[in-house]
Amino acid sequence: MRNNLIAYLLLTPWLAGFVIMYLIPMGISIYYSCTDFNLLNVPQFIGLSNYNRIFLQDDTFYQALKVTFTYVLILVPFRLAFALGVAMLLNKKYRGIGIYRTCYYIPSIIGGSIAVSVVWKQIFGNQGVIMSILSAMGIEQKTSLLGNPNTALLVIILMGIWQFGSSMLIFLSALKQIPLSLYESADVDGARSVIKFLKITIPMLTPTIFFNLILQIINGFRVFTESYVITNGGPLDSTLSYVLYLYRRAFTYFDMGYSCALAWVLVAIIAMFTIVLFKTQKNWVFYESEEES
């Protein structure tokens, strides 16, 4: 009992922060999602009206959901693929390899900032580098890539793929944990590089792939800065991410109750994807400890 009391005493600062900064705001948010709160008037309880309005009356909700799903479904596979590819290249013993690893990680540190989003907007804007290159190649465009509803989202996805540094470091750490004896045995059997990659590297990396997959899906659904700064959801709502739409409802239209309901719908969507991944991991994730048992 004494040891437990000491442990809880040491945990008190974290527990207090968790309750004050997370649990209480979550409870308030759930309550506001069932009210007509608009930041100005006293909130009135309206039950599930906000949720009915989301699913039955709000066409913009479905547009934002479509944009966000498209973003996630394209971004996550390409980001993980690039992260794994670069991690395998950096898993070699080259001179100055630490400098290369740092350079590849820098975009993940600064990639989500407003300043970089502004630079990205200038690069792909009407007077940007990309338009100048296309013009020099004789490819004339009436609108920039950001002004075209068919290409604007792809530009934002490209920026997201560029920020693969954190996933790369996780893959790099996992690659270093794969026993060299497995590759040596494969070499003795005459296995080619592709076979070693498919039969050794990928199976041994499945726990890391699973971990990265969950993190990237969650981060993908939370995309905001890029859509807000680069295109502000345009053109024609082609880059209107879910969180950007939630932000608009809260701080542009002051529809805070409705915004809280949107937030909890997003929580439910992310939770659904996470549960599905955890339920299906037994079919494709290999854990060495389970094999030994």
Side-chain angles (χ1 to χ4, degrees):
M1 179 63 70
R2 180 180 179 182
N3 291 336
N4 289 338
L5 290 176
I6 293 175
Y8 282 117
L9 180 62
L10 295 175
L11 286 172
T12 298
W14 183 87
L15 290 174
F18 178 73
V19 171
I20 296 173
M21 302 299 295
Y22 288 92
L23 287 185
I24 293 178
M26 285 173 62
I28 294 174
S29 176
I30 292 175
Y31 169 71
Y32 282 157
S33 71
C34 298
T35 68
D36 59 353
F37 186 44
N38 62 3
L39 294 178
L40 301 175
N41 298 329
V42 177
Q44 299 293 326
F45 186 80
I46 58 176
L48 299 178
S49 296
N50 284 328
Y51 294 96
N52 291 332
R53 178 180 163 196
I54 289 174
F55 293 107
L56 300 179
Q57 304 177 21
D58 192 350
D59 293 334
T60 308
F61 160 77
Y62 288 102
Q63 173 62 20
L65 202 61
K66 175 185 174 182
V67 169
T68 305
F69 267 91
T70 304
Y71 178 85
V72 171
L73 292 176
I74 298 177
L75 169 76
V76 173
F78 278 95
R79 179 185 281 183
L80 294 183
F82 271 92
L84 178 57
V86 174
M88 294 183 66
L89 291 176
L90 297 181
N91 194 32
K92 308 290 183 180
K93 293 183 179 179
Y94 298 122
R95 180 178 298 178
I97 193 66
I99 298 176
Y100 287 106
R101 292 170 182 170
T102 302
C103 292
Y104 277 109
Y105 184 64
I106 287 177
S108 293
I109 300 177
I110 64 175
S113 66
I114 294 178
V116 175
S117 297
V118 172
V119 173
W120 206 264
K121 180 178 181 179
Q122 295 299 321
I123 292 175
F124 289 91
N126 289 321
Q127 305 299 324
V129 175
I130 301 300
M131 292 298 293
S132 299
I133 294 175
L134 292 177
S135 179
M137 296 173 60
I139 304 175
E140 297 295 337
Q141 298 288 329
K142 295 181 179 179
T143 60
S144 66
L145 296 179
L146 293 176
N148 188 339
N150 297 322
T151 58
L153 183 60
L154 295 178
V155 174
I156 295 178
I157 292 174
L158 183 62
M159 181 177 176
I161 296 173
W162 177 64
Q163 305 167 32
F164 62 83
S166 58
S167 298
M168 178 203 68
L169 286 183
I170 296 174
F171 277 129
L172 183 60
S173 176
L175 286 170
K176 292 182 178 297
Q177 303 304 316
I178 300 178
L180 293 177
S181 58
L182 297 178
Y183 294 105
E184 292 171 354
S185 299
D187 289 333
V188 171
D189 293 336
R192 297 182 179 180
S193 299
V194 176
I195 299 300
K196 290 189 287 185
F197 176 74
L198 295 177
K199 299 296 184 179
I200 298 176
T201 305
I202 292 298
M204 295 298 291
L205 285 180
T206 49
T208 306
I209 295 173
F210 175 71
F211 176 75
N212 269 329
L213 184 61
I214 291 179
L215 286 184
Q216 298 308 321
I217 287 177
I218 293 174
N219 289 333
F221 276 108
R222 294 169 52 233
V223 60
F224 169 75
T225 304
E226 296 88 338
S227 296
Y228 179 68
V229 175
I230 298 177
T231 59
N232 195 26
L236 302 177
D237 289 341
S238 61
T239 61
L240 180 64
S241 68
Y242 192 100
V243 178
L244 176 58
Y245 178 55
L246 186 155
Y247 171 84
R248 283 184 179 179
R249 299 304 311 187
F251 300 105
T252 301
Y253 304 108
F254 300 104
D255 199 352
M256 186 61 69
Y258 190 73
S259 177
C260 289
L262 286 171
W264 282 103
V265 171
L266 179 60
V267 170
I269 293 173
I270 294 175
M272 179 186 66
F273 272 87
T274 304
I275 292 172
V276 169
L277 287 175
F278 271 98
K279 290 294 185 180
T280 59
Q281 67 169 321
K282 293 182 179 180
N283 299 324
W284 62 278
V285 180
F286 169 78
Y287 290 104
E288 188 175 359
S289 59
E290 292 181 357
E291 184 70 15
E292 293 176 354
S293 62

